[in-house]
Amino acid sequence: MPSNPIATLTIAQDLLRCPSVTPADAGALGVLQRLLHDAGFDVHRVTFSEPGTADIDNLYARIGTSAPHLCFAGHTDVVPPGDQAAWSHDAFAGEVHDGLLYGRGAVDMKGGIACSVAAVLDYLAANGGQPKGSISFLITGDEEDVAVNGTVKLLQWVAERGETFDHCVLGEPSNVEALGDTIKIGRRGSLSGTLVVDGVQGHVAYPHRASNPVPDIAALIVALGAEPLDAGTDTFQPSNLEFTSVDVGNPATNVIPAQARAKFNIRFNDRHSAESLQALIEARVQTACGNRIRARVEWLPSNAGAFVTRPGAFTDLVVAAIAEVTGRSPELNTGGGTSDARFITHYCPVIEFGLVGQTMHKIDERTPVADLETLTQIYRGVLQRYFA
Ligand SMILES: [Zn+2]
């Protein structure tokens, strides 16, 4: 059998030529379905619905029935291209210029998916068509928007079939400057709220007959920023509360307003849950209020808790594969925003490793073709070690 049945670049170009801006699939999952079916995978296309959201197409494919079970996860949907006239090359043509593959999704994350599929097909071709265990692909079309009909439901669907995963590699663009510099082993959680201070409206000339919420909310903002939420952990930076706007909505200069509101977001580590943080912040607000200030916090629902995959045999194996191909020793990082790994972590240990993220979501999103080859070799090395 050929050692490389299908080139990574060809798969990436076929995916990029499907304009799969969330919630559209535009044929992207079909590209994977054909390749995986032909390689002997049991392929399922599953559509999920939720009132008020678009129906979303998803794909789950597995080869093998025994443990260990390694899953490659990802998303074929992409963010909109923005001003298409500003692109140097068509956002949905999958063109290569000067060794760079252009297109929306080139790094986030159709390129990463192409690398994992090519690596798996190559591994199977070299091993009689069957892994010593199971390999699966968990691919959604709903990551970049509300993410309610994607990975979170597909994981439930797989669990209801009685299937379990042992480990998962999510191919999001984890690297900062160069391929092999960063593995994401966890993410901080995210929680948003609004601090509301109620005063008493009145004329500025008669402040004793009013209660001004403006200095009061300023005092509470200072108080909440004065005490750290924690000191960080061995794998996470300290949790951080950041105020993002203060609003009074008062057009007049001679009226003391009735209410002031301040929005904030907290990025938190695994010392906290959303619930424990809410209790902590509300207690600190009440302490700062004393008996005088009337304040409360309105919370937005959060589905993004903090999680970490502790360094160990699995991360060591990925680090070794990266070092062998690139010579780099990756940093194990927990920074950045959220991803579907926050759902996968409830089912099995998950790490994120993909392409270099510099151009993701930007005009002229692109990846060096050489990086596609390198990432394919790294995933190939992961498979070799995992099933050794
Ligand atoms: Zn992504």
Side-chain angles (χ1 to χ4, degrees):
M1 284 196 198
S3 68
N4 193 356
I6 180 161
T8 305
L9 178 61
T10 305
I11 304 173
Q13 288 177 310
D14 287 350
L15 290 172
L16 289 176
R17 287 167 186 157
C18 304
S20 51
V21 176
T22 330
D25 171 62
L29 290 176
V31 170
L32 303 178
Q33 181 169 12
R34 282 187 293 280
L35 286 168
L36 296 173
H37 177 267
D38 290 350
F41 277 77
D42 188 15
V43 186
H44 304 268
R45 293 284 290 273
V46 201
T47 302
F48 295 117
S49 310
E50 183 102 6
T53 65
D55 288 2
I56 299 285
D57 216 348
N58 299 274
L59 180 147
Y60 176 66
R62 176 172 176 167
I63 190 166
T65 52
S66 60
H69 182 179
L70 178 62
C71 176
F72 287 93
H75 63 88
T76 49
D77 62 319
V78 295
V79 296
D83 179 8
Q84 297 215 47
W87 283 68
S88 305
H89 307 287
D90 190 323
F92 297 108
E95 293 176 16
V96 175
H97 297 274
D98 298 326
L100 299 169
L101 174 64
Y102 286 78
R104 175 57 82 227
V107 296
D108 185 12
M109 57 164 282
K110 289 172 170 177
I113 291 176
C115 293
S116 59
V117 171
V120 167
L121 298 187
D122 186 48
Y123 172 82
L124 291 174
N127 288 276
Q130 281 287 331
K132 293 182 198 133
S134 302
I135 302 171
S136 63
F137 286 89
L138 188 92
I139 310 290
T140 181
D142 188 23
E143 198 273 343
E144 295 287 9
D145 197 10
V146 289
V148 296
N149 290 316
T151 299
V152 66
K153 286 184 179 168
L154 194 56
L155 286 162
Q156 286 167 10
W157 183 88
V158 172
E160 282 161 15
R161 290 167 52 83
E163 298 186 40
T164 55
F165 306 106
D166 292 301
H167 297 91
C168 180
V169 177
L170 176 59
E172 291 281 6
S174 60
N175 295 285
V176 182
E177 299 283 345
L179 196 56
D181 66 20
T182 308
I183 302 174
K184 286 207 185 292
I185 59 166
R187 296 273 189 159
R188 290 176 299 170
S190 175
L191 176 66
S192 294
T194 302
L195 175 64
V196 183
V197 175
D198 289 311
V200 177
Q201 188 175 320
H203 197 299
V204 292
Y206 306 93
H208 53 288
R209 295 184 196 160
S211 172
N212 192 345
V214 175
D216 289 346
I217 203 164
L220 295 186
I221 289 170
V222 170
L224 283 175
E227 198 178 347
L229 293 166
D230 56 66
T233 72
D234 54 344
T235 47
F236 282 99
Q237 62 196 99
S239 303
N240 180 55
L241 184 155
E242 204 66 37
F243 278 93
T244 54
S245 84
V246 180
D247 303 287
V248 178
N250 181 14
T253 56
N254 59 351
V255 176
I256 290 170
Q259 190 182 76
R261 304 171 65 86
K263 291 182 186 164
F264 62 89
N265 176 269
I266 303 172
R267 292 300 159 110
F268 59 94
N269 60 38
D270 62 351
R271 299 275 302 275
H272 309 272
S273 66
E275 294 73 25
S276 71
L277 261 182
Q278 289 177 359
L280 177 66
I281 297 299
E282 286 173 10
R284 289 189 179 181
V285 166
Q286 287 318 313
T287 301
C289 284
N291 294 324
R292 194 180 60 78
I293 303 176
R294 286 183 298 145
R296 64 183 185 277
V297 181
E298 297 173 355
W299 298 101
L300 288 174
S302 167
N303 66 355
F307 70 92
V308 65
T309 295
R310 298 274 164 210
F314 182 54
T315 54
D316 287 351
L317 175 160
V318 178
V319 168
I322 292 167
E324 183 185 59
V325 179
T326 68
R328 294 193 177 91
S329 176
E331 178 195 346
L332 306 184
N333 179 283
T334 55
T338 66
S339 77
D340 275 357
R342 71 189 192 270
F343 304 126
I344 300 168
T345 188
H346 299 301
Y347 294 83
C348 70
V350 54
I351 59 109
E352 295 176 61
F353 185 74
L355 290 165
V356 178
Q358 278 173 353
T359 61
M360 61 180 170
H361 294 207
K362 292 185 178 175
I363 299 287
D364 280 347
E365 181 174 345
R366 62 194 180 277
T367 179
V369 174
D371 278 7
L372 294 175
E373 287 307 317
T374 303
L375 181 57
T376 303
Q377 291 309 313
I378 293 170
Y379 287 152
R380 184 70 175 76
V382 169
L383 288 159
Q384 197 66 39
R385 287 169 170 79
Y386 194 82
F387 294 109

